[in-house]
Amino acid sequence: MRPLAKRKAQREPTIALINIVFLMLVFFMVAGTLAQPLDPDLKLIETRDLEGRAPPDALIVHPDGRLTHAAQDITNAADFVAQLDEEARASVRLLPDRALPAKTLVRLTRELRAAGAGRVLLVTQRALQ
């Protein structure tokens, strides 16, 4: 007679358990509310019909690095900042073209800051929508 071979102790299927716990975690993350809901009586303003356009005081930077403001060509960024009043000088808005090289944008931003601009704000497409 042959001795009986020891049966391997069957391991518990931990991978299946981990998968189930992970799926439950994902479900509750998606289904759960993380922020307080708004008051149901609150009626928000609809902006669907508003026309987006650039701020009128923005300094437009073209792809070739040329600057314009209110349809006037600007030859020197420092002179542009110098002619602004104190309030406008506190934050200068730039409206750069998407094709403008980043190197040119950084150089122009440094020039504006050196000329006395307090902050240089970039106006993007999302801000216009």
Side-chain angles (χ1 to χ4, degrees), residues 43-102:
K43 302 282 190 253
L44 296 177
I45 298 171
E46 290 187 18
T47 59
R48 211 175 300 151
D49 299 329
L50 288 180
E51 179 184 330
R53 65 178 83 142
D57 60 342
L59 182 61
I60 299 171
V61 188
H62 297 271
D64 57 358
R66 186 171 43 92
L67 302 173
T68 57
H69 180 264
Q72 299 289 327
D73 286 337
I74 305 296
T75 56
N76 188 348
D79 292 340
F80 172 75
V81 174
Q83 60 94 19
L84 294 174
D85 63 358
E86 196 64 35
E87 185 178 332
R89 197 177 301 154
S91 61
V92 176
R93 289 186 172 95
L94 277 182
L95 187 63
D97 189 278
R98 179 180 292 201
L100 181 73

Side-chain angles (χ1 to χ4, degrees), residues 1-117:
M1 242 172 133
R2 289 164 83 193
L4 292 173
K6 287 186 179 178
R7 280 190 170 180
K8 282 187 176 180
Q10 193 160 7
R11 294 177 18 178
E12 293 193 27
T14 55
I15 297 295
L17 182 63
I18 291 172
N19 287 341
I20 290 171
V21 170
F22 178 71
L23 288 173
M24 287 175 57
L25 174 70
V26 170
F27 171 76
F28 286 114
M29 284 176 56
V30 171
T33 303
L34 298 178
Q36 289 288 345
L38 292 175
D39 184 6
D41 297 331
L42 182 66
K43 302 282 190 253
L44 296 177
I45 298 171
E46 290 187 18
T47 59
R48 211 175 300 151
D49 299 329
L50 288 180
E51 179 184 330
R53 65 178 83 142
D57 60 342
L59 182 61
I60 299 171
V61 188
H62 297 271
D64 57 358
R66 186 171 43 92
L67 302 173
T68 57
H69 180 264
Q72 299 289 327
D73 286 337
I74 305 296
T75 56
N76 188 348
D79 292 340
F80 172 75
V81 174
Q83 60 94 19
L84 294 174
D85 63 358
E86 196 64 35
E87 185 178 332
R89 197 177 301 154
S91 61
V92 176
R93 289 186 172 95
L94 277 182
L95 187 63
D97 189 278
R98 179 180 292 201
L100 181 73
K103 192 182 228 182
T104 306
L105 182 62
V106 170
R107 179 188 50 79
L108 178 61
T109 304
R110 285 186 181 148
E111 286 177 15
L112 291 169
R113 295 277 301 174

